[in-house]
Every structure is written in C-alpha cells, then in structure tokens.
Amino acid sequence: MTVNNAKKLASLDEAVAEMHSGDTVAIGGYYFCRHPIALVRAMVRAGLRDLTIVTPISSVDSDLLIGAGCVRKIIFGFVSFDILGLAPNFRSRIEDGSVEALEYADLPLMRSLEASTRALPFMPARGLTGTDILKIHPAKQIDGVNGEKLISLPPIRPDVALIHAQWADRSGNLLLEGEGYDTELLKASKKVVASVERIVGRRELVSLGKLTLPRYNVDALVELPYGAHPCSCYPYYVHDLWHLLEYMDYARSGRFADYLQRFVYDASDHAEYLERVGGIRATLRLEKLMRRGIAHVRESH
C-alpha cells in the first residue's frame, strides 16, 4: 500500500485507495461493537463495487455497504440490528436477489478462515451434518475417525481485513479489547487496514495490555477517534442508539439514498461526519462517556 512503511500511518482516503472493486473484504467487530464504520463510509465514497463481504457478526457495517450498492455477495454468520430488528438493506437485497448470500454458523466460518491461514485445501469441523444447509453450501460431508461424520470447509482468503481497535503505536502494533473474531479475520487476510481510537507510545501500549496483532501484520493504520460511530468502542463510548434509530428510519421508509447523501457523500471526511451527527455537543457527550469508561477500567485493575 502507498503508505509510510516504517510507521504505517495513513489518512482515511489513503487507507482505502488501493482497495479495488471486486475485492473480498473482511470486516471486524461484533454486533454494535467496534465495527470500522469510518472506513466503511470511505469505501462507499471511493465508489467500490462488486465486493464480497466476509463478516462473522455484523450490523450497520455490512448493511451500509449493501444499501450503497457496493456488495455483490456476503459471507456471514449473523447480520442483525439486535433489539432494533432485522438489518433493513441486508434483508431487502437478499430477498430481491440483488445480493448473493452464503450463510455460515460462526464456528464453520472461523474454520474456513483457519484453512486459509494454514494454507490448507480444507479444514475439517463438526456441525451442519444432517441438515439441509449442506445442499446449498460449499462444505461437504466427510468421514472422520471411527465413522464420525464431519464436514470439510473450503478456505476463505480475504483480500483485505478492516478493523477498528482501541490502541496502536506508530509502528502498527495493535491492542484490541472486546468480543469478536477480528484476530481470525486478520490472520487470514492478505492485507490489514486498521483504524484506532488512539495512537500511543510503545511503553503506554505495553502497559495497557497484551498486543492483539504485531506491526508486521498491519499494512495501514489510521487514527480515527469515534471511528466506530454509531457503534461502540469500549472503554471510550457506547453505541449511539439515536443515530441507529435514525438510520433505520431512513432505510425502512425508502429514503436511504438521502441518508447516504447526508452522512456519507456530503460528509467528505470524518470530522464533517461528526459534525453532522451532532457536532460539538455530540463529541462532548461521547467524551463524557469515554471518561466514565476509562475510570471504570482503572477501578477494575
């Protein structure tokens, strides 16, 4: 990637500049937690099309890309807006056939990624046997030891993985906290693009906890405070329920093109996006939540 190879630092636009239409893109995060939404919006502005999205547990990240017409196929474990209901664009595009869907359970999807990480032609796993899923799935039933029925899962090798982490140093060492399958996505992908809440010094990074990914696995690094908004990023901020409700209203009422214009295309950079979701008042509110979260972490340690 055309970034500073010594420090891996890139702007938001530079981080997606060498992604291409037709790529297979893995997206990290978990439900409403730590999805790299700022990177996703940059992908939409870059005009990427015909993407294959790989996402174990997804919400607004893949739904936004699908609603913007960027996605040809989605390989997923679960896509949901949790208590807000079904993901609106995801559901409608699969129902009308404009997006191809391949559903996995979480564990089989991890095994397909592991097959790629280990450079194997397939990875055996338990599960899915005796179900009709195998009639429409690339996994095949095989015989294991003592006659046990297993499945063989083909490798999935994403061209790039996008994640949002809490901390990194300038060399690209990442520290990530929270549930999810980001580590498996990162190891299986050809390239890794990470956005982070804060870039800190090496000593501070070490003091915060165990590294998730060393620098030699990270190709580009973007410092983006609130880069997961409207999703959460513990301990900095919780998910923005009000904006998610606004998103759902746009999508369900047939006005999603207006949402894209207002919050993606007209918001030409991350700072402008933050202004459009509430400006300085929203930022101060998020910072108040951040201070509470940090205080909680310190007390727990």
Side-chain angles (χ1 to χ4, degrees):
M1 302 187 76
T2 54
V3 299
N4 186 322
N5 288 325
K7 297 182 179 179
K8 311 292 179 74
L9 299 183
S11 69
L12 186 55
D13 291 335
E14 286 172 339
V16 300
E18 293 193 20
M19 295 176 63
H20 304 96
S21 292
D23 278 353
T24 296
V25 181
I27 303 179
Y30 193 78
Y31 289 102
F32 286 146
C33 305
R34 279 191 305 91
H35 291 298
I37 307 299
L39 287 168
V40 165
R41 289 193 300 271
M43 291 169 61
V44 175
R45 287 194 298 271
L48 299 179
R49 292 291 184 269
D50 298 319
L51 300 174
T52 296
I53 300 301
V54 179
T55 175
I57 304 291
S58 183
S59 60
V60 66
D61 50 321
S62 57
D63 195 78
L64 177 60
L65 287 169
I66 289 172
C70 301
V71 179
R72 177 185 62 84
K73 180 179 180 179
I74 181 168
I75 302 171
F76 68 100
F78 191 63
V79 181
S80 171
F81 273 57
D82 199 45
I83 62 172
L84 303 182
L86 298 172
N89 295 314
F90 167 81
R91 179 182 183 182
S92 62
R93 298 303 192 277
I94 290 177
E95 287 179 343
D96 67 21
S98 58
V99 171
E100 180 184 351
L102 177 58
E103 184 175 2
Y104 275 74
D106 294 354
L107 179 58
L109 181 52
M110 293 305 102
R111 290 293 176 262
S112 281
L113 292 166
E114 185 179 354
S116 179
T117 301
R118 297 177 181 272
L120 294 173
F122 70 92
M123 181 64 71
R126 294 183 174 89
L128 301 183
T129 56
T131 73
D132 287 339
I133 292 178
L134 293 178
K135 295 179 181 179
I136 58 173
H137 201 280
K140 304 299 180 184
Q141 185 168 291
I142 59 174
D143 291 328
V145 178
N146 298 324
E148 181 183 8
K149 298 300 181 182
L150 302 174
I151 56 173
S152 66
L153 292 154
I156 296 175
R157 178 69 162 165
D159 295 296
V160 60
L162 306 179
I163 67 162
H164 186 76
Q166 286 91 344
W167 304 283
D169 65 17
R170 296 176 66 85
S171 297
N173 295 300
L174 295 181
L175 176 56
L176 182 153
E177 288 189 359
E179 293 183 281
Y181 303 99
D182 293 46
T183 301
E184 289 83 357
L185 295 175
L186 301 177
K187 291 179 179 178
S189 300
K190 299 174 185 176
K191 294 180 181 179
V192 173
V193 176
S195 57
V196 295
E197 290 296 317
R198 289 180 58 214
I199 292 177
V200 299
R202 181 71 57 82
R203 288 184 178 180
E204 183 178 355
L205 188 69
V206 172
S207 71
L208 285 166
K210 185 178 179 180
L211 293 180
T212 303
L213 198 71
R215 62 183 183 273
Y216 52 77
N217 289 124
V218 178
D219 295 279
L221 177 67
V222 190
E223 187 174 27
L224 284 173
Y226 315 113
H229 186 275
C231 295
S232 66
C233 187
Y234 176 86
Y236 287 104
Y237 47 92
V238 298
H239 63 276
D240 189 339
L241 179 61
W242 301 112
H243 186 78
L244 290 167
L245 287 168
E246 187 175 11
Y247 177 101
M248 295 288 278
D249 183 60
Y250 272 104
R252 287 172 168 170
S253 63
R255 299 181 297 118
F256 195 69
D258 295 334
Y259 178 91
L260 292 174
Q261 193 64 49
R262 179 180 177 188
F263 294 108
V264 179
Y265 297 117
D266 289 345
S268 58
D269 58 31
H270 188 53
E272 174 62 25
Y273 168 79
L274 291 177
E275 285 299 315
R276 288 176 180 267
V277 297
I280 188 64
R281 287 176 297 177
T283 302
L284 290 173
R285 176 170 57 84
L286 290 172
E287 287 178 349
K288 184 176 181 181
L289 292 168
M290 177 183 72
R291 289 193 296 272
R292 289 179 178 175
I294 292 174
H296 173 73
V297 169
R298 288 173 176 167
E299 289 173 1
S300 65
H301 286 282

